[in-house]
Amino acid sequence: MTSRPYLAGIPTLAPVAQTGSMPVNHPTMPPRQATRAWLRVLLILLLLSVTISFLTCLKCLDNPREMAVNFALTAIYTTGLWLANGYSVDWLDRYVKWKQAPAKRLVLTLLVSLGALWW
């Protein structure tokens, strides 16, 4: 399994264990900690989206409806880019490691990230 630094602290499920006739999932962290980890990620994305909304639409400060639309679009775009870039980095990790070829990896990461923007 590749490491995902952008998902640090986010729980994953361990392999399914077979007990009798029903499979049982064994979480790697207690449910309360798992919920906190996901809430932390959502809070970070929310704060990032609010900051971007305020910085990119100063005229929206007078119009709450415009601000809500701008925030919604920013939140959707921010979350999409965060997830898309995260998965593409995991995919690149399989083929080109940062420690083996840092210049090549930097160029590939930028190309994949820009490709996600143009897609």
Side-chain angles (χ1 to χ4, degrees), residues 22-118:
M22 298 289 291
V24 178
N25 287 328
H26 297 286
T28 57
M29 70 172 49
R32 182 172 291 190
Q33 286 180 346
T35 303
R36 286 182 188 159
W38 279 108
L39 287 175
R40 187 182 73 218
V41 168
L42 291 176
L43 180 65
I44 290 169
L45 287 173
L46 177 71
L47 289 174
L48 185 63
S49 297
V50 166
T51 303
I52 292 171
S53 292
F54 280 119
L55 292 175
T56 59
C57 191
L58 294 175
K59 68 177 183 151
C60 297
L61 295 174
D62 297 334
N63 188 343
R65 187 173 185 175
E66 259 186 65
M67 181 57 89
V69 169
N70 186 21
F71 170 73
L73 291 174
T74 302
I76 291 168
Y77 195 67
T78 301
T79 304
L81 283 176
W82 180 72
L83 292 172
N85 283 326
Y87 288 116
S88 65
V89 166
D90 284 346
W91 178 75
L92 279 173
D93 277 341
R94 287 189 249 161
Y95 301 104
V96 181
K97 301 287 183 194
W98 275 106
K99 291 182 180 180
Q100 294 171 348
K104 181 178 180 181
R105 176 56 192 266
L106 177 64
V107 170
L108 286 173
T109 300
L110 289 173
L111 287 174
V112 169
S113 293
L114 292 174
L117 285 173
W118 292 102

